[in-house]
Amino acid sequence: MKFFIDTANLAQIKEAHELGVLDGVTTNPSLMAKEGITGEENVKAHYKAICEITDGDVSAEVIATTYDEMIKEGLELAKLHERIVVKVPMIKDGVRAIKYFSKQGIKTNCTLVFSAGQALLAAKAGATYVSPFIGRLDDISTDGLQLIEDIRLIYDNYGYETQILAASVRHAMHIINCAKIGSDVITGPLSAMLSLLKHPLTDNGLAQFLADHAKAAEAGK
Ligand code: E4P
């Protein structure tokens, strides 16, 4: 399963990359705004900077919501770097745009997916990735992980190659359950990735090993 980090923060992307487990980056307009990145040229430069840190795919989201504008913006984003994936919202013009980009051999990530029907449409349009937002479904008392299971079943039934990119991942259990279900990719904040490290028995065990080692070293003096 691939690990993407969901942020536009360069320091966090670097930290995840240095951990050695980062396979790519997703961003969205809110995450770019959070880093204070505004203006077309600054946004483009920031995407390039992200591409220089990671070896994996980098999702860059279009702001446009009409077909013609999405095509124009998406082509410009795709030109920035060979690993840019054009992120397109699940709306009618977005589905058409994904079809267009897929025919041009441009990678796409269909975002803001909240149902199996939307995921089916994205796959039929030829999306490279589909992003079901599991955390936001959980937020409205709907089972986000069930959606990942449903999409996995549908894609496997027909051999769709669209990769399931479980998005809006919030914590370790989301990641573990996505791995059990067979999600191709997860994306979430650095904190979710780092939470996989944690177990109190690891911390206690290490403290004990170090204490025993120090005691033995002291006794051997
Ligand atoms: C996906 O690509 C989105 O950027 C993201 O995962 C949204 O997550 P959030 O619900 O934590 O904002």
Side-chain angles (χ1 to χ4, degrees):
M1 186 172 72
K2 290 186 217 161
F3 279 14
F4 287 2
I5 189 169
D6 194 35
T7 184
N9 182 287
L10 299 181
Q12 288 183 16
I13 295 169
K14 203 156 175 266
E15 187 176 339
H17 174 73
E18 283 169 358
L19 191 61
V21 297
L22 187 68
D23 300 301
V25 178
T26 53
T27 61
N28 64 41
S30 304
L31 293 171
M32 292 296 269
K34 193 173 163 197
E35 298 307 315
I37 314 296
T38 54
E40 207 177 309
E41 290 316 308
N42 290 337
V43 167
K44 284 181 179 170
H46 202 74
Y47 284 137
K48 281 190 186 170
I50 294 174
C51 289
E52 276 160 26
I53 301 173
T54 176
D55 309 319
D57 283 348
V58 174
S59 287
E61 188 160 344
V62 297
I63 305 298
T65 53
T66 62
Y67 177 75
D68 289 340
E69 288 298 312
M70 277 193 258
I71 300 299
K72 189 168 165 264
E73 197 183 342
L75 290 175
E76 275 175 27
L77 290 171
K79 262 195 300 190
L80 293 176
H81 197 282
E82 59 188 9
R83 282 183 281 99
I84 286 281
V85 175
V86 181
K87 201 172 179 192
V88 179
M90 170 39 78
I91 54 176
K92 199 171 170 189
D93 281 19
V95 174
R96 285 182 63 205
I98 288 168
K99 185 73 190 179
Y100 172 87
F101 290 130
S102 96
K103 278 192 187 157
Q104 301 294 313
I106 293 171
K107 287 187 182 183
T108 53
N109 174 357
C110 183
T111 190
L112 289 165
V113 165
F114 293 93
S115 76
Q118 291 177 324
L120 183 53
L121 265 182
K124 284 192 69 69
T128 314
Y129 298 101
V130 66
S131 288
F133 280 33
I134 61 177
R136 292 193 193 187
L137 281 168
D138 289 356
D139 289 345
I140 57 158
S141 307
T142 305
D143 189 352
L145 288 164
Q146 183 59 51
L147 177 59
I148 303 298
E149 266 191 66
D150 292 347
I151 300 171
R152 182 73 284 154
L153 176 68
I154 291 168
Y155 283 9
D156 288 351
N157 279 348
Y158 296 96
Y160 287 122
E161 286 176 9
T162 299
Q163 294 180 55
I164 304 174
L165 196 176
S168 188
V169 156
R170 304 271 170 80
H171 48 70
M173 287 317 293
H174 271 157
I175 301 176
I176 292 160
N177 284 315
C178 281
K180 283 159 95 174
I181 293 165
S183 185
D184 300 288
V185 193
I186 58 94
T187 192
L190 181 63
S191 58
M193 212 181 282
L194 295 180
S195 69
L196 294 174
L197 278 168
K198 282 288 159 200
H199 197 289
L201 292 180
T202 304
D203 298 340
N204 294 348
L206 182 60
Q208 187 67 57
F209 288 158
L210 295 179
D212 289 345
H213 172 78
K215 216 191 296 172
E218 192 58 36
K221 270 186 188 168

